[in-house]
Amino acid sequence: YSAIKTAIVEAAEHSLISTTAEALKDEESPQHKALEWLVDEDKQIFDFDNIKCLVQRFALAMFYFATGGNESWNVQHNFLTNHISECNWGWDGFYRKYGASCGEDNQTVRGLDLYHYGLTGTIPDELGLLVGLEELHLGYNNLNGTTPLVLARLSKLEVLD
């Protein structure tokens, strides 16, 4: 537990996300819920040497809990399925892949397409932990607040809608 928490806090600090460490202490926070999911339910995290995978799974789980998850998402598409790669948390639509998608290495999350999923709440800063993100599609949801400034630091992000 402490090794996972330390890895997540270090990744957040590296990405200049200062709120993660404090939020992990609050049992009601999406950050804490994501950490608990990783530790208690996620069967995919068997190799703690793969920090990138751990951080991506945390960021996506945190996003899930911060935006309504089980309560408001009208589409799940394998999100938080604990025995498969986060690269397969989605499905192939007719013209594009929905959910999370990865690059050719099948390890780096490059796209997050949650168009019309029924998301609520605000976009969390921890989405900035997805350092390989190139496309983020969040249109036609019930999100509020402002777009986190940390997303501007994602050097590969080309599409945001």
Side-chain angles (χ1 to χ4, degrees), residues 20-32:
T20 304
E22 193 62 33
L24 285 170
K25 297 175 188 174
D26 177 2
E27 292 184 6
E28 298 302 313
S29 74
Q31 292 88 344
H32 184 81

Side-chain angles (χ1 to χ4, degrees), residues 114-144:
L114 302 174
Y115 178 84
H116 211 296
Y117 264 51
L119 311 180
T120 60
T122 59
I123 301 169
D125 287 346
E126 283 81 2
L127 208 53
L129 293 171
L130 299 175
V131 296
L133 197 63
E134 297 172 1
E135 295 187 18
L136 180 59
H137 302 277
L138 300 175
Y140 290 93
N141 285 292
N142 294 311
L143 295 168
N144 55 51

Side-chain angles (χ1 to χ4, degrees), residues 89-130:
W89 288 355
W91 69 281
D92 291 323
F94 192 66
Y95 293 106
R96 64 189 197 204
K97 181 166 182 181
Y98 293 92
S101 58
C102 290
E104 292 178 10
D105 66 356
N106 206 31
Q107 293 181 359
T108 304
V109 174
R110 301 251 189 251
L112 191 56
D113 190 336
L114 302 174
Y115 178 84
H116 211 296
Y117 264 51
L119 311 180
T120 60
T122 59
I123 301 169
D125 287 346
E126 283 81 2
L127 208 53
L129 293 171
L130 299 175

